[in-house]
Every structure is written in C-alpha cells, then in structure tokens.
Amino acid sequence: MVGNWFNAGLLSAIACLGTGCGGESKQPIYTAIVDAGSSGTRMYLYKVVPGSYPVVEHLLEQEYDAAENGIDEFINGQGGVTGDMGPDQVGPYVIGPLLNAIKPKLQALSVAPRDVLVEVLATAGMRTEEIRNGGSHTDENIAQFYDGIKTYITHQGFPVGDVRTTDGNSEEGKWSWINLNDKYRHAFTTQESPVGVVEVGGSSVQVTYPTHTTPAPGNHVYPVTIGGKIFFVFSKTYPGLGQDEARKAMRTAGYPDAYTGGTDCFPMGMTTAEDKGDLNIRVSPQTVLPVVKLRTAGGDATSAAYRFEACSNTFNSIIANTIESLGDPQIENSSGHFYGINSAFYAYETFGIHEGDISAELLAEKTQDMCADKSNFDLTKGFSRNQCASATYINALTYGPSGLFANAPDAFVKVVPTKSAGATVLSWTRGYLMNKHGQ
C-alpha cells in the first residue's frame, strides 16, 4: 500500500532543512482562529512566521464551554446551555469569552489586540444548515449571521479575517492532512513519506490521502505545496458519517413503526433512566424528535441488550447508504497507509488499546467484551454512556462490509492522539495556517 510520494522540489527542500526555508526574515503574524465545530467552539492562538516551510507556533487554546453544541445552534435560536439563544447572542455568549481568554497571553507577549487577526471558520455543523445540504437556511441567512459575528469581533478591537463555513473537501480534510503529516511524519522537512487520514468528527468524516492521481475538476484531488515539495492529495468529506450523526441515525432506525432508541448498541443492562438520549433528531422534513432514548417498540421504558452483530448491521446500512450516495473514496489509490484521528482515536483510547498497530479484530473483540456489562462504564458521563455505540460504529466504518477498509484491512495501521502534554497538536487550524502562509 505504501508507495513513492510525488516530489517536485526535493533539492530545494533539502537545502532549507533546519533554516525555516527563509522564514526568519519575515515578520511574525499573530492569528486567532475560532474552530466552530459541530459539537463545540474552540479558539487557537498562533504565531506564524511565513516562508516556504512556515513556522506555526501554538501559543494558547481555549474552549468556549463543554456544554455548548456549536454556533449552528444559535442560528436556529437554540444556542447556549438554556437552548433558546439566537443569532444576536453568539457574539457575546461564545466569541466574547474566547477573545477575553487570549488577552492575558497577548499582554504578556506585548501584542496589542489590533495586531491579532481573528478568523472564524465553521465546519460540518454549519454546512448542514445550508439548504443545499438539507438545512433550512439560505445563503443570505448565513451571510447575515456571519456579518453579525464580524461586527462583534471588530467592536472588541480586533481585526477580522475570514468568517465563513469551510469546504470539507478542498479545505478541512486537506488542512488536517497537512498538520498530521507535518507533526507525525515530518513529510515536508524530511524524506518520510506521507500517510492518509481518516478523521471522524461529530457530523462528518473526512478521508484524505496522498495519491499519484493528477488534480482535475470533480475528482477531489488537490495540490499541496509546502517546504518546496508538491503533493497531490485526495480529500473528500462525508456529511452524516460523523460519530454523533451516525448514532442519531442508529437510534431512529425503523422509525416510525419499530424504532427502539438503539437498544442493541448500548451496554448490557443500561436503563432508559440512565440514558440521557440524543436531542433534536430530524427524521423527516416535517418531523423532529426532541429526545430519543432507549425504549421498546411500543414506546415503553426498557434496558439495553448489547448485541454486536445487530448493532453493527444497523451502522453498516447507514454507512452503505451514505457512501453509495456520495461516492466511494477509493482508498486503493492512496500511496500511503492510513492513520485514524479524533473519534477514530478515542474509540480505541477509552478501551486502552490505542498504542501500537491495530487490526481488524482488535476493537471488535474489546467492544464485545466490555459492553457485556454496564458496570464497565460510568453512566453519569455522556461519552462513557455512548462508548459501546461509538466503538461499534468506528469498527463498522473501518472494517465492516461497507467500511472504508473492508477490502484492504491492513491499510489502516494506527490511531494517533490530537493532544500531547495537554495541548492540541492535531488541528486543521494549524494546517490551515501552514497552507495559507507556505505558498
């Protein structure tokens, strides 16, 4: 599976190793990027020295609120922990605390707010709000929402850059690929070959890999030039295959006649009372179920009876339908093996099997063993309650009959963490800056 990577500037890259490729002569640029994700909002503060290989230094990161579910809730009038805040409140309620959080660091660096560019880049949560993606908001609605955020940032004394929704194909997936291959492979500063990335978020999945296929309209292959090297990178996003969206689809499988809230996918013995459920699930254009919890087919309270095969079959169907609709990523075209990140990593990490190489059997066997008894989980915590569903889903997404690596299980070799020593080391925000300032 691993092949040679395409390099148009090897001599140039070698010449600038250890020198920053001329970056030292450039003035540093301070940028605060708001990652407005589908399940929360986080700000990253960076110092960037532009160059062929740009130096991007992580200075600070700040999460808004663990209970906040993304700025897309505000455009729908469901923002904040009270679930009733609208578009006008996203600035003071979400952006304001993030800007305030970076001010002490800026003061310590003797950097004025007017010298820090603030950008807000939203991902799959906001993409799904667009009418073209099944949402209810026009381009004009969304532009007005973003204009309000821009105005708020400006009034706080910061210059504002891009405030928009990113493209999952040509941008978010590609940026994650850049950052991972810089951090874990040093692909832009050494002769290490790059790998592919399976990034599982809350709403979508990005599949990105190096390829020898030449970029052409519609083939989802994009050039990346950093450190004097040119790579061709396939990148495609799959809305609806994110861990949270897949779980919601699993919970409502069989609606309206026989859905049971996913009793096959939660730890054995977990009761309806212990299940906090999933919120605001749209099962048709006209129908939104406010809360879906474990239940019998008749609607009564019940308890889960975890069954790996039955749960997997439900997820396999969701995966098959989505990939059939959006297109096969054709991982056989990758010139490198694959690493899994974000939810793909956490599925392994919470069971303590994240270190070293992985296999088609590892996660499936551990999941079946742990999910046979609810006492293996802290049911007061959301992620722990969902762990059986999450691990079964990740296994189906990677190794199931319609999974990404069904025909090439050995291509998926490792899962890697997003954090090291408490700081985020894998974020598309850093890849964004490398791409922006490395041209």
Side-chain angles (χ1 to χ4, degrees):
M1 193 70 184
V2 177
N4 294 324
W5 40 272
F6 180 83
N7 175 10
L10 178 59
L11 294 179
S12 174
I14 294 174
C16 69
L17 290 180
T19 70
C21 300
E24 294 82 0
S25 64
K26 304 289 183 67
Q27 289 296 316
I29 298 170
Y30 292 90
T31 303
I33 302 178
V34 177
D35 174 1
S38 58
S39 56
T41 307
R42 181 179 289 268
M43 176 178 281
Y44 297 88
L45 178 64
Y46 294 103
K47 175 184 176 182
V48 184
V49 180
S52 175
Y53 175 77
V55 178
V56 182
E57 181 182 356
H58 173 282
L59 299 177
L60 185 71
E61 63 184 84
Q62 180 69 39
E63 187 173 8
Y64 160 61
D65 184 335
E68 181 250 344
N69 288 321
I71 65 171
D72 50 294
E73 299 291 336
F74 286 82
I75 200 173
N76 292 315
Q78 300 173 335
V81 293
T82 57
D84 60 0
M85 292 185 176
D88 293 342
Q89 293 164 296
V90 69
Y93 194 78
V94 178
I95 306 300
L98 294 174
L99 294 174
N100 289 335
I102 67 172
K103 287 178 180 178
K105 181 66 174 181
L106 295 176
Q107 186 175 16
L109 294 169
S110 299
V111 176
R114 66 176 178 271
D115 295 324
V116 180
L117 184 69
V118 177
E119 302 193 274
V120 180
L121 298 174
T123 56
M126 281 298 294
R127 285 183 211 125
T128 58
E129 296 300 328
E130 301 170 356
I131 288 178
R132 69 175 64 87
N133 293 324
S136 57
H137 297 280
T138 65
D139 290 346
E140 183 179 9
N141 295 151
I142 293 173
Q144 289 174 346
F145 179 63
Y146 285 142
D147 283 344
I149 294 175
K150 290 179 182 179
T151 299
Y152 181 84
I153 294 170
T154 301
H155 286 168
Q156 305 310 303
F158 292 84
V160 62
D162 279 351
V163 178
R164 63 179 177 86
T165 304
T166 61
D167 182 276
N169 298 317
S170 62
E171 294 183 325
E172 184 186 355
K174 183 178 74 174
W175 297 336
S176 292
W177 182 88
I178 290 171
N179 190 45
L180 182 142
N181 278 285
D182 183 55
K183 282 291 187 181
Y184 281 102
R185 301 292 295 178
H186 308 291
F188 307 114
T189 55
T190 73
Q191 296 188 49
E192 284 289 333
S193 58
V195 296
V197 181
V198 176
E199 177 183 14
V200 185
S203 288
S204 65
V205 165
Q206 280 70 240
V207 180
T208 313
Y209 56 77
T211 180
H212 298 300
T213 304
T214 303
N219 74 349
H220 298 286
V221 177
Y222 310 95
V224 170
T225 304
I226 294 176
K229 295 183 178 183
I230 299 175
F231 296 100
F232 293 158
V233 178
F234 173 92
S235 182
K236 187 173 177 63
T237 188
Y238 289 85
L241 284 188
Q243 179 174 278
D244 295 342
E245 292 301 312
R247 187 180 63 253
K248 291 178 180 180
M250 171 272 293
R251 277 193 182 272
T252 54
Y255 179 86
D257 298 323
Y259 82 104
T260 59
T263 53
D264 292 326
C265 293
F266 292 88
M268 186 71 71
M270 175 176 157
T271 67
T272 303
E274 292 168 322
D275 182 13
K276 299 302 181 183
D278 279 289
L279 307 177
N280 300 321
I281 303 177
R282 183 177 296 277
V283 292
S284 74
Q286 296 79 28
T287 304
V288 176
L289 303 178
V291 183
V292 175
K293 301 175 70 172
L294 297 172
R295 47 168 282 170
T296 66
D300 298 324
T302 188
S303 59
Y306 180 79
R307 295 190 299 162
F308 177 79
E309 184 175 358
C311 182
S312 297
N313 287 342
T314 300
F315 282 128
N316 289 335
S317 178
I318 294 166
I319 295 164
N321 291 339
T322 302
I323 291 180
E324 182 180 4
S325 173
L326 298 178
D328 186 341
Q330 298 179 317
I331 62 119
E332 65 273 12
N333 289 333
S334 175
S335 59
H337 288 312
F338 283 79
Y339 289 3
I341 64 174
N342 293 357
S343 294
F345 168 78
Y346 293 125
Y348 286 81
E349 191 261 350
T350 55
F351 284 155
I353 53 174
H354 57 291
E355 296 180 345
D357 293 341
I358 56 180
S359 68
E361 298 77 29
L362 182 64
L363 184 59
E365 291 175 354
K366 189 66 172 182
T367 302
Q368 292 175 79
D369 179 54
M370 294 293 289
C371 295
D373 189 339
K374 73 175 183 179
S375 66
N376 291 321
F377 303 90
D378 181 356
L379 299 182
T380 67
K381 297 180 179 179
F383 187 81
S384 188
R385 285 193 300 271
N386 295 330
Q387 179 58 20
C388 293
S390 299
T392 309
Y393 173 63
I394 295 300
N395 188 76
L397 178 67
T398 50
Y399 298 120
S402 298
L404 301 173
F405 304 101
N407 297 320
D410 293 340
F412 188 44
V413 298
K414 192 182 293 290
V415 292
V416 292
T418 59
K419 287 181 175 289
S420 176
T424 298
V425 295
L426 284 187
S427 170
W428 60 258
T429 59
R430 185 175 180 274
Y432 162 71
L433 291 174
M434 292 190 70
N435 186 72
K436 179 178 181 179
H437 296 288
Q439 303 301 311

